[in-house]
Amino acid sequence: AALLPRPARGLTDRLYCGRRVCYEVLGVSRQASKGEIARAYRQLARQYHPDRYRGEPAGGEGGGAQAAHEKFLLIAAAYETLKDEETRKDYDYMLDHPEEYYRHYYHYYSRRLAPKVDVTVVILVTVCAISVFQFFSWWSSYNEAINYLASVPKYRIQATEIARQQGLLNKTKEKGKNRRSKEEIREEEEEIIKDIIKNKIDIKGGYQKPKIYDILLFQILLAPFYWCKYIVWYCWWIYCFTIKGQEYGVEEKLYIIRRYMKMSQSQFDSLEDHQKETFLERQLWIRENYEVYKREQEEELKKKMAMDPRWKRYRRWMKNEGPGRLTFIDD
């Protein structure tokens, strides 16, 4: 019933100047210019400003301070309505078309509740903040991976041997005036080993070296380019392998396998090379072969879970004392 059209009541208490016409409140005509409206407002504001009635009783002559305060608020509301061209245009439209009740409500409150700051600026600042946090978070993860690899004996021994061959560790042990403490030498050797690990080991997956164009800001800016590139690639795929019927290459086979496995590019790149070779040997780009491989992996996972002592203890606990059972333990 509330949504049904109802007879227009024209001026309402909750819009603009209420049941008073804003032009009449300021004592100007509808054809008045902005200058005339501003002059009328200043004269009435000086006349009814609450400071002039400070100390007078509320019910004094002419209504007193309370009546002056209400009059001043009405004058201010009229001026706020008529000083802006867009708001004045909406108000004039309401006066000429009082029957469009809901439209007037929408325009009035949409202007009043509109954000004071441009939404584009807010979105841009938010995206930049997320991008900065994202970039430094990736750098932190990458440094953690390097520190971990530097603590693994296998990689540390190899990096130390490479540093000795290049003569980097010998430079740290200097004599005479340039002699440094053991702590300084140890820190420098540690940095050299980490630098060699960074250069010699290709870290993939979630701990790979961050790249500036992978952050959110650049991804948004480059989104049109990526979309165009994808459309061109998809058309090429349809033309080569659907229309012409060409055989898949190694990259195309790996792409199909990755899609079957529902893995991202970075996740798939983090796999070992021998795993990808196994995928190709088993021809997993063929759907039937992949389904067989998937069932085998599920069965193997079940066997591992069955033989894992931790899962055995968990199942035993679920059976004896897990959720859904009420037990009484004697003292």
Side-chain angles (χ1 to χ4, degrees):
L3 296 177
L4 291 175
R6 49 180 156 176
R9 292 181 294 176
L11 303 177
T12 61
D13 294 329
R14 290 173 289 179
L15 300 183
Y16 303 107
C17 299
R19 296 190 177 276
R20 297 284 303 276
V21 179
C22 294
Y23 293 102
E24 295 178 357
V25 171
L26 295 180
V28 296
S29 64
R30 289 187 59 174
Q31 291 74 32
S33 63
K34 293 181 67 174
E36 294 174 345
I37 292 173
R39 285 193 297 271
Y41 167 72
R42 287 193 294 268
Q43 292 175 0
L44 293 173
R46 285 194 298 267
Q47 180 180 352
Y48 292 98
H49 199 279
D51 291 344
R52 295 189 58 187
Y53 297 87
R54 186 175 299 174
E56 293 188 8
E61 184 179 356
Q66 183 64 28
H69 179 70
E70 295 176 357
K71 182 70 173 179
F72 180 80
L73 293 179
L74 182 61
I75 294 168
Y79 179 65
E80 289 293 326
T81 301
L82 301 180
K83 74 174 184 179
D84 183 69
E85 291 293 336
E86 296 298 325
T87 308
R88 183 178 180 181
K89 186 184 300 183
D90 290 341
Y91 183 70
D92 290 342
Y93 187 87
M94 186 187 76
L95 295 178
D96 296 333
H97 304 83
E99 70 279 357
E100 299 182 17
Y101 183 80
Y102 297 107
R103 181 182 185 277
H104 306 322
Y105 259 90
Y106 169 75
H107 281 280
Y108 176 76
Y109 284 105
S110 64
R111 292 190 182 279
R112 291 200 61 180
L113 301 178
K116 304 301 180 182
V117 182
D118 190 0
V119 178
T120 306
V121 176
V122 176
I123 294 175
L124 181 60
V125 172
T126 304
V127 170
C128 291
I130 294 174
S131 301
V132 171
F133 173 79
Q134 191 179 35
F135 186 73
F136 283 103
S137 176
W138 283 349
W139 263 112
S140 176
S141 300
Y142 177 69
N143 290 328
E144 287 180 6
I146 295 298
N147 293 334
Y148 170 75
L149 293 175
S151 65
V152 177
K154 172 184 175 181
Y155 300 111
R156 189 176 185 84
I157 293 172
Q158 294 179 1
T160 304
E161 187 63 27
I162 293 173
R164 286 200 182 97
Q165 292 175 1
Q166 296 178 357
L168 298 176
L169 295 181
N170 299 330
K171 295 180 181 180
T172 60
K173 300 177 181 180
E174 298 174 349
K175 299 180 180 180
K177 296 180 180 180
N178 297 327
R179 187 175 182 179
R180 288 163 295 174
S181 64
K182 293 183 179 180
E183 187 66 27
E184 292 176 345
I185 294 174
R186 192 180 299 111
E187 291 178 359
E188 186 172 348
E189 289 179 352
E190 192 71 20
E191 291 300 324
I192 291 173
I193 292 173
K194 290 180 181 179
D195 289 338
I196 293 175
I197 291 176
K198 290 179 183 178
N199 297 327
K200 296 297 181 180
I201 297 181
D202 183 18
I203 302 176
K204 298 178 180 179
Y207 293 92
Q208 64 185 357
K209 188 174 183 179
K211 299 176 182 177
I212 192 67
Y213 54 81
D214 286 337
I215 63 176
L216 179 62
L217 178 61
F218 281 86
Q219 289 292 309
I220 294 175
L221 295 177
L222 296 175
F225 169 74
Y226 288 144
W227 273 107
C228 295
K229 184 178 178 181
Y230 174 77
I231 292 172
V232 172
W233 173 85
Y234 188 74
C235 294
W236 169 82
W237 183 282
I238 295 296
Y239 174 74
C240 291
F241 304 113
T242 303
I243 299 177
K244 296 184 67 176
Q246 296 181 3
E247 293 185 359
Y248 295 127
V250 176
E251 294 296 329
E252 289 75 22
K253 293 175 182 177
L254 291 176
Y255 169 74
I256 296 174
I257 295 171
R258 180 173 68 83
R259 286 192 58 187
Y260 286 161
M261 293 183 172
K262 298 180 180 179
M263 300 175 66
S264 64
Q265 186 65 52
S266 60
Q267 290 174 330
F268 195 77
D269 291 340
S270 63
L271 298 177
E272 299 292 339
D273 293 336
H274 67 86
Q275 291 179 289
K276 298 178 182 178
E277 292 175 0
T278 303
F279 298 159
L280 295 174
E281 290 175 0
R282 299 197 56 174
Q283 299 182 352
L284 296 187
W285 66 88
I286 301 175
R287 188 72 186 189
E288 292 77 11
N289 297 343
Y290 174 74
E291 293 296 337
V292 173
Y293 171 81
K294 183 179 179 181
R295 286 195 294 269
E296 292 176 357
Q297 293 297 311
E298 291 175 352
E299 291 296 329
E300 185 177 352
L301 179 61
K302 290 180 181 178
K303 291 180 181 178
K304 288 183 179 179
M305 293 173 59
M307 300 302 295
D308 191 345
R310 292 175 299 178
W311 279 100
K312 288 182 179 179
R313 290 195 299 269
Y314 174 74
R315 289 196 299 271
R316 194 181 305 118
W317 177 81
M318 289 292 293
K319 179 180 179 182
N320 298 328
E321 301 179 12
R325 292 182 61 86
L326 182 63
T327 59
F328 295 90
I329 302 176
D330 297 333
D331 294 336

